Amino acid sequence: MSTEQSQRPIRCLVAKVGLDGHDRGAHVIARAFRDAGFEVIYSGLHKAPEEVVQATVQEDVDVLGISILSGAHNTLVPKIIAGLKEYDAFDDTLILVGGIIPDKDKKELKEAGVDAVFGPGAAMEETITFVRDNVPARD
Amino acid sequence: MNATASLVDDLLAGKHRALARTITKIENRSPGYRELISQLHAHTGDAEVIGITGSPGAGKSTLVDQMAKVYREQGHTVGVIAVDPSSPYTGGSVLGDRIRMASTVGDMDVFFRSMSARGSLGGLSTATADAVKALDAFGKDKIIIETVGAGQNEIDIVRTADTVAVLVPPASGDDIQMLKAGILEIGDVFVVNKADLDGADRTVQELKEMIHMRDSDDEWEPLVVETVAKTGAGIEEFLSVLEDHYEHLETSGLLDEKARTRYAEEIRALLRADMGTLIAKEIDEQGGIDSLVDEVVAREADPYTIADRIMEPLEDCTGRRQS
């Protein structure tokens, strides 16, 4: 006897980390995710890696989308990943990076644990489909 | 040990991830969530629950941020649940209140969780109340529920709080707005935030008059406080009013009474939901809703007769038990 029908939209954190002050792209993706039926939590600008970790853990998101334009991805992203591991939140979080990422850094980010990197030319539909197809299964 | 038991153990041991996961299960109505809440129940009852509501842009999130900061300075641990609306078309939502939680950044003893309304009337207040239980069992001293006050749904949510504060922005309408039914009736404390703006004094005055004129046998007369959440001005006074109200609830016995009312409501809500499931099954059993509608359209039966027919087996069962 129960009414236990699971109803679960995909939850995403869209995070801006570090010093860059442009969040137009983050707003656009937040809106597109919302229109795709996702629950989007937006972090706001200028977040430190530990703030992003805190939000990811507390909000229990399926997807963490990090937007970086400043070029500091090689230092900031691994810090976030290390924080997620510390709270046992790495394995079941899909990690995306968006922004200006040189090709040579993409491989390194993926080795560090990033699931996909989307550059400025990426179609929104492509990103949304990737999320739908790859979101980690939860019980 | 099963998964639920180990999740409960981890939560009680203070693991943030377990708390986060528990709230997710509650929100999603995941299989096993009922057992989870059952097990947590014994560990609840110690937290003070404060509801914050008011129109969009009143400054709720900024105020909550300042409250959390002062509570932390006083040595309390804090849980926050912020509820935002969801799209009626796609179900999607942008939950933006976290942006304003800047004062307690990096402090894990402030557990902030965004919740989407997920388009559900009634269900959300149950989920919010259950999430409060998870934070309570985790050991949070103060739990703040923040929700935009626009309708019945929000009023249901704040009913799960011990003390309700309603934020009223300065110059938010003429005195007729104050007479309208709704959120102004549910406040134990009224906060005129952005009190540095023009029109604040008048709003305070109007609120005081409204409170004075209301016909209530409640011993607690709602207070009006002024704050500027952006700078932190007035926050400590506001918190001491919340404390006074909580003390009033304790000494007058209202706290226990409120809890009893809440549990009664909770039992009824659960039963209504379960009953709904039973009825849905019975409808399927009797050929599905479409075939029942066909009968009504063909004038072979009317909705009342159909409802009686669906209820009959259920009534039989309970009748048999009573005799």
Side-chain angles (χ1 to χ4, degrees):
Chain A
M1 173 72 256
S2 75
T3 52
E4 299 189 358
Q5 294 160 324
S6 202
Q7 32 164 312
R8 199 172 107 76
I10 294 170
R11 270 170 83 85
C12 307
L13 175 68
V14 172
K16 286 295 297 182
V17 65
L19 294 174
D20 84 77
H22 297 280
D23 60 353
R24 211 188 131 82
H27 286 184
V28 171
I29 195 90
R31 197 197 155 111
F33 279 179
R34 184 203 71 187
D35 290 343
F38 300 176
E39 280 178 17
V40 186
I41 294 137
Y42 178 52
S43 74
L45 279 169
H46 306 307
K47 297 299 158 185
E50 49 272 29
E51 293 174 54
V52 176
V53 170
Q54 183 179 11
T56 307
V57 171
Q58 294 185 347
E59 301 288 358
D60 195 16
V61 290
D62 306 288
V63 182
L64 167 60
I66 308 165
S67 161
I68 300 191
L69 303 169
S70 66
H73 45 268
N74 287 339
T75 43
L76 295 172
V77 174
K79 273 188 192 160
I80 293 172
I81 288 171
L84 293 181
K85 284 179 176 162
E86 190 189 324
Y87 285 101
D88 299 327
F90 173 72
D91 288 337
D92 45 18
T93 307
L94 190 72
I95 302 172
L96 313 179
V97 172
I100 315 287
I101 312 291
D103 280 342
K104 66 174 173 57
D105 292 348
K106 285 185 184 167
K107 193 166 159 264
E108 211 172 302
L109 285 176
K110 285 192 177 165
E111 276 165 13
V114 170
D115 294 287
V117 178
F118 294 96
M124 209 54 81
E125 207 44 53
E126 184 196 339
T127 313
I128 289 166
T129 306
F130 182 85
V131 168
R132 287 217 171 101
D133 291 348
N134 291 283
V135 72
R138 300 261 187 97
D139 52 11
Chain B
M1 188 162 49
N2 71 31
T4 303
S6 83
L7 192 57
V8 169
D9 283 350
D10 283 353
L11 184 148
L12 296 175
K15 290 195 179 155
H16 292 93
R17 190 68 179 154
L19 174 58
R21 187 51 53 89
T22 298
I23 297 177
T24 304
K25 280 180 175 289
I26 286 169
E27 264 194 307
N28 295 339
R29 304 287 195 265
S30 301
Y33 89 96
R34 287 188 161 210
E35 190 196 340
L36 194 53
I37 301 164
S38 301
Q39 291 188 21
L40 291 174
H41 182 77
H43 304 276
T44 61
D46 296 322
E48 187 181 330
V49 185
I50 300 144
I52 305 278
T53 188
S55 50
K60 294 180 291 296
S61 307
T62 314
L63 185 77
V64 168
D65 179 42
Q66 293 288 336
M67 290 170 75
K69 182 180 165 219
V70 176
Y71 278 143
R72 290 295 295 134
E73 284 163 8
Q74 293 172 351
H76 300 297
T77 57
V78 183
V80 181
I81 295 170
V83 182
D84 267 322
S86 57
S87 161
Y89 303 112
T90 63
S93 54
V94 171
L95 311 172
D97 289 336
R98 215 185 163 94
I99 296 177
R100 277 168 270 274
M101 292 301 292
S103 302
T104 52
V105 147
D107 178 1
M108 271 292 199
D109 284 329
V110 177
F111 192 99
F112 185 102
R113 179 65 177 247
S114 314
M115 269 176 119
S116 155
R118 294 194 183 173
S120 59
L121 268 166
L124 178 61
S125 47
T126 315
T128 314
D130 290 339
V132 166
K133 280 183 202 159
L135 288 166
D136 189 349
F138 188 81
K140 293 299 179 194
D141 302 317
K142 310 277 183 184
I143 298 168
I144 305 170
I145 307 170
E146 180 198 332
T147 175
V148 62
Q152 194 60 45
N153 207 14
E154 290 70 25
I155 290 176
D156 280 348
I157 296 167
V158 295
R159 277 210 192 108
T160 63
D162 301 314
T163 302
V164 174
V166 176
L167 263 70
V168 185
S172 54
D174 57 22
D175 40 6
I176 293 300
Q177 297 296 346
M178 304 267 184
L179 297 177
K180 288 185 180 173
I183 58 170
L184 288 186
E185 288 168 296
I186 60 172
D188 300 304
V189 185
F190 292 95
V191 185
V192 177
N193 188 35
K194 309 190 183 179
D196 52 341
L197 294 183
D198 283 349
D201 291 348
R202 182 147 173 244
T203 304
V204 170
Q205 208 46 49
E206 282 170 354
L207 279 168
K208 281 184 175 162
E209 275 168 30
M210 180 210 72
I211 291 162
H212 195 69
M213 286 189 309
R214 68 178 208 155
D215 189 22
S216 165
D217 46 8
D218 191 356
E219 282 165 47
W220 176 262
E221 171 128 319
L223 290 163
V224 182
V225 297
E226 292 176 66
T227 58
V228 184
K230 224 167 47 185
T231 63
I235 302 295
E236 296 200 19
E237 195 208 330
F238 170 48
L239 294 190
S240 79
V241 169
L242 293 179
E243 209 168 301
D244 288 348
H245 183 254
Y246 195 77
E247 249 178 59
H248 164 74
L249 291 178
E250 273 182 322
T251 52
S252 63
L254 276 172
L255 194 65
D256 295 333
E257 211 178 291
K258 274 189 166 206
R260 291 191 65 91
T261 312
R262 272 205 299 263
Y263 291 139
E265 268 312 304
E266 226 175 284
I267 293 168
R268 288 200 181 98
L270 284 173
L271 288 175
R272 273 195 298 272
D274 289 350
M275 203 58 174
T277 312
L278 269 186
I279 289 170
K281 279 186 191 152
E282 188 53 30
I283 289 173
D284 286 344
E285 201 65 33
Q286 299 198 22
I289 195 78
D290 282 336
S291 77
L292 298 172
V293 170
D294 288 345
E295 287 183 51
V296 175
V297 172
R299 300 294 183 276
E300 286 160 12
D302 65 289
Y304 286 92
T305 310
I306 301 277
D308 284 346
R309 203 202 296 162
I310 301 287
M311 288 304 289
E312 210 180 83
L314 299 169
E315 280 166 357
D316 278 353
C317 288
T318 51
R320 215 178 305 143
R321 202 173 51 187
Q322 277 155 12
S323 60

